[in-house]
Amino acid sequence: MTSKMLLLTLLASVGLLRHASVVFAQDSQKHVLLVYENRSDMQGNIVVDQAIRTYLRKEFDVGVDIHSEYFEIPSVLEKDHDALLNWLRHKYDGITFDVVVPVGSSALPFVSAYRRELFPDSQVVFWGREDAIQNWKADTPVTGVLAPSMSRQLTAEVRFILTLQPNLRNLVVVSGAAAPDRQWEAVARRELGSLERRLSITYLAAPTFEDLTQFVQKLPAQTAIIFTTMNEHGAGTRLGKSEVLTKVAEIASAPVYSFSNIHLDTGMVGGVLLSQ
């Protein structure tokens, strides 16, 4: 991470706490709901949940009551809206949330969809990429801690790779089969099209895990791999990014780059990294 990105991250974190200081008064118990896309065992969700809880408890001690919910959000919104609404009403009956924190791009429309029934008076503080703010449809303001858009980070990632590998000839972009994985693939195809005169670009989209591991072992010289995300592989099996990235970095015949510093221990080279 560059010093500029680190400074922006720190300023954003301070801004979240300052905003919370305004929202929270010290004379009564306050309630916060953290809404995550995807599973509770995902490394990114674990780190973010711990970070938010640490900051809020440091600021407000025992004066804040924090709850976390985890959803496979696209399918929930499409199939289970009424059932989930009734369950959340029952679970949090008697609790009025002062702040709701959607974590991740699909968590924001989730909160928007349920806001009128469940969170009419809550302040929304979004934690995720700036792309998602464009889809906020509620009639109340939203603030947040924003990471760069996918296109901006991907462009910066390629510049970083070309600095480290100026003789690069081949670029492999790995993505999975889940909805967020396909979104990364679409952004990559759009943003990297102008490089196709200079580089041979392979989009390894939704391979099976077996095909992926076989492919990355046989890459030619002057190749780099961008591992975007793989929540699901082509055969429909759900995956953990850390585990897949660790295996790919271990066996690949080319350097592997990704986007978050929580995955530095996987063996990847690095990249333009975000800090949760």
Side-chain angles (χ1 to χ4, degrees):
M1 177 179 287
T2 66
S3 58
K4 182 178 180 181
M5 289 183 68
L6 179 58
L7 177 59
L8 289 174
T9 301
L10 291 174
L11 288 175
S13 300
V14 170
L16 174 60
L17 290 178
R18 286 178 176 172
H19 182 81
S21 298
V22 174
V23 174
F24 290 176
Q26 296 291 342
D27 57 353
S28 62
Q29 177 98 70
K30 299 300 177 180
H31 304 280
V32 177
L33 177 64
L34 310 177
V35 178
Y36 293 87
E37 60 182 10
N38 292 316
R39 309 190 310 262
S40 61
D41 61 345
M42 291 183 65
Q43 186 65 19
N45 284 346
I46 293 171
V47 172
V48 170
D49 194 73
Q50 184 179 36
I52 293 176
R53 287 173 177 271
T54 298
Y55 275 116
L56 290 178
R57 295 206 183 282
K58 181 179 178 180
E59 185 77 10
F60 304 106
D61 197 20
V62 296
V64 58
D65 174 41
I66 306 171
H67 300 261
S68 296
E69 295 287 350
Y70 302 84
F71 301 110
E72 301 289 337
I73 289 175
S75 61
V76 162
L77 286 176
E78 295 170 4
K79 302 175 184 177
D80 304 313
H81 183 284
D82 292 339
L84 181 59
L85 177 60
N86 291 332
W87 177 73
L88 289 172
R89 279 175 172 164
H90 176 74
K91 181 175 182 178
Y92 294 115
D93 183 39
I95 297 178
T96 299
F97 288 106
D98 299 275
V99 177
V100 177
V101 183
V103 179
S105 297
S106 59
L108 193 61
F110 176 91
V111 169
S112 177
Y114 289 92
R115 180 176 176 80
R116 187 182 299 276
E117 296 94 338
L118 298 174
F119 324 118
D121 301 314
S122 304
Q123 172 66 52
V124 177
V125 180
F126 173 58
W127 182 298
R129 291 192 178 274
E130 59 187 25
D131 312 62
I133 289 291
Q134 302 172 5
N135 299 322
W136 177 249
K137 298 179 180 180
D139 56 0
T140 53
V142 60
T143 186
V145 179
L146 303 181
S149 66
M150 288 185 288
S151 59
R152 192 149 60 94
Q153 187 171 8
L154 183 62
T155 300
E157 185 93 347
V158 173
R159 286 199 300 265
F160 177 80
I161 293 171
L162 290 173
T163 299
L164 291 186
Q165 297 179 247
N167 297 320
L168 188 72
R169 298 181 61 184
N170 308 291
L171 184 64
V172 177
V173 182
V174 177
S175 58
D181 307 335
R182 295 195 300 270
Q183 189 176 13
W184 269 110
E185 179 200 352
V187 170
R189 289 183 181 275
R190 183 180 70 243
E191 295 300 322
L192 301 182
S194 61
L195 292 173
E196 291 179 353
R197 293 181 180 179
R198 176 178 178 178
L199 301 173
S200 174
I201 302 178
T202 301
Y203 298 95
L204 198 60
T208 64
F209 180 71
E210 292 74 17
D211 288 344
L212 171 63
T213 53
Q214 290 180 17
F215 184 87
V216 299
Q217 294 181 68
K218 304 174 182 179
L219 297 174
Q222 299 175 315
T223 298
I225 300 170
I226 296 180
F227 191 101
T228 60
T229 185
M230 183 172 281
N231 296 298
E232 180 180 318
H233 73 47
T237 302
R238 301 304 304 272
L239 302 169
K241 179 175 180 178
S242 294
E243 291 76 16
V244 179
L245 187 52
T246 297
K247 184 62 176 180
V248 169
E250 176 185 335
I251 65 175
S253 57
V256 180
Y257 301 83
S258 197
F259 300 125
S260 174
N261 69 355
I262 65 173
H263 296 123
L264 278 173
D265 62 353
T266 62
M268 70 169 184
V269 173
V272 179
L273 304 179
L274 297 178
S275 171
Q276 275 81 1

